[in-house]
Amino acid sequence: MSDSLLTNSLWFIPMAFVAAPAVAADYLSIPQAQQLLFPSASSFIERPTLFDSGARSAIKSHAGTRQRQDHQPIWRVEKDGQLQGWFIVDDVIGKHEYITYAAAISADGEVLGIEVLSYRETHGGEVRDESWRANFKGKSLKDPFKLDEDVPNISGATLSCRNLLDGVKRLLTIHELFLARES
Amino acid sequence: MNKKRLGLCALSLCAAALSQHSIAGEDLFGYLKGAEALPEGASELYQKVTVRDGKSVGSYQGIDFETEYEYGVSNKFSSSVSAKFMSLDTDGLSVDGYLPGAKDIGFKASGAELGMAYMFLSPAKDDLGLQASLSLDYDWIDKHSGYDKDTLSLELGLQTQKYFMEGELVWLGNMAVETTYADRAPIDNLPEDFDWPTDPEMEIELKFGTGLSYRFAPNWFVSAEVLYETEFETEVGQERWSWFAGPSLHYGSANWWATLTWLPQLAGGGEQFDGQDTDLHLIEKTEQEWRFKIAYNF
């Protein structure tokens, strides 16, 4: 290595101080998301689900997307003993880190809403906007789940948008395969 | 820098300022380009350092520095402008027609480049991402010998990209054709019988590459890329060809990313110089390159 390499490289050190806008991390806790998605619920009954390889294969077969984790945090949501729906926390792959979100699914398998708990990507913070998340409301497995058809794309965060869309479809599949019978 | 070079440089920078060009996105690889555009209004500032090392005889080490600014003009069209610098330290090596002898130059401005790219298909939304790129490069120092040489190159490239496993596995394919006009300045005190042509020459280079990148942990990617490059010149036909392959390690976060790549030459042919002790092409290429890139998002 040339002796001058280090000296020459010092010229670029000011780049290290170039300010870039901070991108947020954790926005909501699970109890906060539960309150936002089911404001009138009286109880959230944790029902963590462990998927074996057969269950994961069935989910992928129906949803078209991998069920990566064995453990899926699921809560049965009730009001005065009556089922209101299901609250599920999920991770999908972002460009750099996992995106953690929660979905509310009705007893008959429709999306009541989603909340983004953590998002750490360079672009696409708009996934937290109510206007964007509202596109998920009412979605069921009867919908095509195509980006820019069901839900608009956010430029610079296409992978995040697509993985969130695919993730919600996978959660609806989990509801259909494993939770609907309890409704 | 003479007036001609200064004029060309100023022209390049003016054109850059007017067109605000750039080539997109986060680089998981050292050499391959992805097919994903920066979003409209987004900017990225890169610093690239490439160490070109070894020609089998004597000592040879060139270091190229490139500072690049990219801008997303629209969600599909991006542009870039680069300033290039280099240093060279070689001794005990003489290549007829290319390298008159020992040369030791420090850190010097060596060129400028403009680029643009248009994304036809998005890799995250469509089945396969497809992007075309165009770059115009002007250098006033020969990166191989360190002597004065005006080189103007135009490169047209196509990049494909596909995500697998929700984006944990990324495949890239690249192809490009580069046409170059080069004009060497005469030099004094050449070795006896040393060939140093000063007539302008035209060359065409074809480049093909492919690679896979896998995200093995949040923020971390490991990649492998393979490149084939060949150059054709008027008088000799196929002047050279080389195969390169090597690994990269990439870290990416919300605000910045960095990639370190090692790229040895595995096989090569075409013109060779007397005395080299391998079959690689080592006149214009080296036995290996190291490249480090760091970038900040705005």
Side-chain angles (χ1 to χ4, degrees):
Chain A
M1 185 72 62
S2 166
D3 294 339
S4 61
L5 177 59
L6 180 62
T7 306
N8 293 339
S9 298
L10 294 177
W11 190 84
F12 301 106
I13 283 181
M15 280 193 63
F17 299 100
V18 172
V23 179
D26 299 323
Y27 295 101
L28 291 173
S29 65
I30 288 174
Q32 287 171 326
Q34 288 174 333
Q35 181 62 32
L36 288 169
L37 290 171
F38 288 101
S40 61
S42 57
S43 61
F44 291 86
I45 304 159
E46 192 164 5
R47 182 195 178 288
T49 303
L50 195 63
F51 294 120
D52 60 19
S53 61
R56 294 206 310 277
S57 295
I59 294 167
K60 183 182 179 184
S61 174
H62 285 74
T65 306
R66 282 185 306 162
Q67 173 68 28
R68 289 180 299 100
Q69 57 219 55
D70 299 337
H71 173 263
Q72 189 77 50
I74 298 175
W75 286 261
R76 179 184 169 95
V77 185
E78 294 183 353
K79 181 182 180 185
D80 303 328
Q82 296 294 311
L83 176 68
Q84 280 206 312
W86 301 90
F87 176 89
I88 307 178
V89 173
D90 191 40
D91 289 322
V92 292
I93 294 169
K95 193 163 187 178
H96 302 112
E97 301 192 46
Y98 291 113
I99 302 166
T100 303
Y101 70 105
I105 298 175
S106 71
D108 55 357
E110 284 192 358
V111 176
L112 299 172
I114 70 166
E115 290 287 347
V116 176
L117 277 61
S118 74
Y119 187 84
R120 303 177 179 86
E121 302 303 314
T122 311
H123 305 291
E126 299 94 327
V127 299
R128 291 184 58 239
D129 292 349
E130 169 60 27
S131 58
W132 190 79
R133 289 184 291 108
N135 293 288
F136 285 90
K137 288 181 181 173
K139 296 295 176 193
S140 73
L141 289 177
K142 295 173 184 170
D143 291 293
F145 276 84
K146 295 279 188 188
L147 201 56
D148 272 341
E149 290 183 31
D150 293 290
V151 172
N153 181 37
I154 297 169
S155 294
T158 308
L159 185 66
S160 298
C161 293
R162 175 177 159 178
N163 286 348
L164 276 169
L165 190 63
D166 289 344
V168 171
K169 182 181 182 185
R170 180 168 43 75
L171 297 187
L172 288 172
T173 302
I174 289 173
H175 174 270
E176 182 178 82
L177 294 178
F178 304 102
L179 304 176
R181 72 191 69 162
E182 299 180 26
S183 299
Chain B
M1 193 185 303
N2 61 33
K3 286 183 179 177
K4 181 182 172 188
R5 286 181 192 150
L6 201 60
L8 280 167
C9 185
L11 187 64
S12 300
L13 292 174
C14 287
L18 289 172
S19 57
Q20 291 186 311
H21 291 311
S22 117
I23 291 175
E26 183 171 340
D27 293 349
L28 301 175
F29 299 85
Y31 294 81
L32 293 175
K33 297 175 183 173
E36 196 158 32
L38 281 178
E40 183 176 350
S43 294
E44 204 158 28
L45 186 64
Y46 299 78
Q47 180 55 48
K48 305 176 186 177
V49 179
T50 304
V51 178
R52 297 177 284 111
D53 186 66
K55 287 186 183 285
S56 90
V57 176
S59 67
Y60 182 94
Q61 190 171 78
I63 306 175
D64 305 328
F65 302 88
E66 183 178 354
T67 305
E68 179 180 326
Y69 169 70
E70 299 183 63
Y71 180 73
V73 179
S74 74
N75 289 329
K76 291 193 170 185
F77 180 68
S78 56
S79 57
S80 69
V81 58
S82 299
K84 300 200 288 187
F85 310 83
M86 68 168 289
S87 65
L88 180 70
D89 187 2
T90 180
D91 192 23
L93 174 65
S94 175
V95 180
D96 192 41
Y98 289 90
L99 189 57
K103 187 79 172 172
D104 186 2
I105 61 173
F107 185 71
K108 291 179 73 172
S110 61
E113 185 172 331
L114 298 175
M116 64 183 80
Y118 186 83
M119 182 179 70
F120 295 98
L121 298 170
S122 163
K125 198 167 71 173
D126 302 297
D127 288 338
L128 183 71
L130 179 65
Q131 179 177 265
S133 63
L134 185 69
S135 64
L136 181 63
D137 179 32
Y138 172 62
D139 296 308
W140 49 82
I141 296 178
D142 178 14
K143 65 185 287 187
H144 311 300
S145 67
Y147 285 89
D148 289 349
K149 181 181 180 182
D150 288 329
T151 307
L152 190 64
S153 299
L154 185 70
E155 182 180 296
L156 177 64
L158 278 177
Q159 298 87 43
T160 57
Q161 179 174 345
K162 186 166 181 61
Y163 285 120
F164 298 94
M165 300 165 63
E166 299 90 54
E168 279 188 329
L169 185 67
V170 184
W171 171 80
L172 294 188
N174 281 188
M175 59 184 295
V177 56
E178 182 183 72
T179 55
T180 299
Y181 169 88
D183 188 10
R184 295 178 184 182
I187 52 178
D188 299 328
N189 304 318
L190 284 172
E192 191 175 350
D193 298 329
F194 189 85
D195 183 27
W196 184 255
T198 54
D199 293 331
E201 57 185 1
M202 288 288 293
E203 295 169 334
I204 295 178
E205 183 173 10
L206 302 177
K207 304 173 184 179
F208 302 92
T210 187
L212 278 173
S213 184
Y214 177 67
R215 190 171 84 167
F216 62 94
N219 305 105
W220 289 93
F221 286 81
V222 62
S223 310
E225 60 193 309
V226 181
L227 306 176
Y228 174 77
E229 296 182 359
T230 181
E231 187 171 271
F232 297 86
E233 197 257 346
T234 310
E235 291 186 7
V236 296
Q238 187 183 34
E239 188 175 350
R240 61 175 170 86
W241 60 269
S242 297
W243 283 96
F244 306 88
S248 291
L249 184 65
H250 171 85
Y251 178 85
S253 71
N255 295 333
W256 67 278
W257 58 260
T259 303
L260 177 65
T261 302
W262 174 50
L263 196 78
Q265 184 180 165
L266 302 182
E271 288 191 336
Q272 297 184 331
F273 62 85
D274 295 337
Q276 72 175 70
D277 59 8
T278 78
D279 292 332
L280 303 176
H281 174 82
L282 295 173
I283 294 178
E284 296 190 37
K285 298 296 179 182
T286 53
E287 292 173 308
Q288 60 182 339
E289 292 187 9
W290 292 86
R291 177 170 286 183
F292 179 69
K293 297 193 272 192
I294 186 166
Y296 292 84
N297 302 292
F298 298 88

